Amino acid sequence: MPESTDLKHAVQSIRRLLDDAYLTIDAENRGRRSGKASLSSLPVEIFLTIVKKVLLEADRYHEAGYYGQLTELCLVSKGWAETIHGLPGLWTPVDPYSSEELLKVVLSRSGELPLDIKGYVGSLSVAEMIQSEAHRWRSLDIISDEGCIMDSLMSKPAPRLQELAIAARRYWVPQTNVFGGTAPKLEAVMLQGCPLPWKSPILSDLKKLALYRIEEGAPDMNALLDILAASPQLSSLQIGFTHIPISPLSRRVNLPNLRLLKVEYLYLEVMTQVLSSIEAPMSARCIFRTRLDDEEDTSMEEQLATISERLVVLAQSVRDSSSILTLQMGDGESEDLGWDVDSVEEEADAVLTYEDEGGHLGPLSITVSSPPTRHVDVLSHLAGKIRPYTKSSPPKLRLVDMHRTLPEDETANLLCALHRTFPNVQEIALIDITYPAMIDALRRIFPQPASNIPPLFSRLTTLTVKRRSHGDWAVWLQGHRRRTGKKGGVSPLPRTLTMRLEGGSIGAKALGALKQLVPGTLSLDNVHVNEKA
């Protein structure tokens, strides 16, 4: 039975933790380790912490869920059952998808402790049962199909509620004053697919706000800015796929405590107004995602103008300091963007991340969903925005999932575009790129000695390669650098070059080939060397 196997694993996890929890039973033996802890000698607080930790971590993998595991643990012994039944702290997670009989038991055994409700609510009777305990709610994270269920749940004050997350599968507009306008401790609100009364007093003094997939009834720009202005301690703001009516009036809201600003896939004019209306500190992590629309009348440069403004400001702040520029080209396996499958079938994500190496400024990530054939244009355009501020200190480049291009097609080659933008780059990392793309990159950075082709990034001092396997490209590079004529041998790479291999494996023969090629430093970080290969 799956339950018996899961029970065995849960009990083993708990007993391992118990075995590590050595107790001092006798005060005279303090400082010496006494016998291993058993339930009879273990303080209930520690037992509570251990059991809850084990069950919550395993909950999503267990067919019977949290309550099923808790019930199974009661079968271990009579002592365990009595202890578990008598610990209200083990019964505070509430799954509304459970039977009404079980919910009655859970609510009774939880005593008067704060409750964490999470799950699907499918019946009005269950909603009413949970709503009767609204005075104890600490967090409410629910999904429902019915507006009447939502209205029932939120009809009474929630004086202890700290976190609210609502996902509506059908369009719903509250018919009641949410929580009677009383939720004084509410700090985090996440809404998906449903609006709230945007002028409600509960939407103030927030620390986290997330609005997703609200197509009807979304706050207009003024209402959104009012909420933000009423939440000066806001640390996280996330908005995506939401139709926010823009306002003819422009104003800015300063959010000095913001640590995360995530804005994704809004209409161009909406994203423009949202980003231009929020003043975030330079220490905030920013994530911007958009879609390049070739059917728009505006050019690519115009469509990317708003999301690149932060990039320019960040580059100005990092000016002449060490920075890292990470560029990633998707392969078509991008996440669900919420559009029809046919419209995004040939699209993928081009991602640029720019960060201060010292970590004093928050990183900026820009994702542009577009056909892969546009990725070089998109990334080189964005990278060009920071060029004026990096002349004396070019960024360290990290290139992920680069596309292979034809040897003669330099206009479609990301390395060539970056060479034109940052010719003085000294450090490059090639991360998880395919073998053909790896060969393409090496051929351009280290051309054949007799070809008289100038190398890209002639000032390169450090090349880092992170792949699952290093043998294939190492052997290719040896052959690529082999001299012709009577002398034979290979032409070594520049003496000033440090080559770093990270992760994966390499055969002894391939490693020997690299040692011949690299007269400078060759370092291996967590690389398995196969002596037989």
Side-chain angles (χ1 to χ4, degrees), residues 32 50 128 184 253 260 290-292 317 337 344 370 464 473:
R32 291 191 296 147
I50 292 174
E128 291 173 346
V253 174
L260 172 63
T290 189
R291 181 190 179 204
L292 191 64
S317 300
L337 303 180
V344 298
S370 62
T464 300
W473 66 263

Side-chain angles (χ1 to χ4, degrees), residues 6 16 22 36 62 65 107 117 139 151 158 182 187 412 419 432 482 492 494:
D6 289 328
R16 277 197 299 269
Y22 291 105
K36 290 184 179 180
H62 193 285
L107 294 175
I117 297 100
S139 63
D151 288 330
T182 303
E187 295 182 344
H419 174 71
D432 296 332
R482 194 176 299 281

Side-chain angles (χ1 to χ4, degrees), residues 66-129:
Y66 180 84
Y67 301 143
Q69 291 188 95
L70 203 56
T71 301
E72 289 174 359
L73 289 177
C74 292
L75 303 177
V76 172
S77 69
K78 182 178 179 181
W80 278 45
E82 291 175 350
T83 301
I84 290 172
H85 291 165
L87 285 174
L90 288 176
W91 302 92
T92 55
V94 179
D95 181 359
Y97 196 56
S98 306
S99 67
E100 294 186 30
E101 292 76 14
L102 178 56
L103 284 176
K104 290 178 182 178
V105 173
V106 171
L107 294 175
S108 173
R109 289 180 178 170
S110 62
E112 288 299 316
L113 294 181
L115 300 175
D116 297 303
I117 297 100
K118 182 176 182 179
Y120 176 78
V121 185
S123 71
L124 186 59
S125 58
V126 168
E128 291 173 346
M129 185 184 304

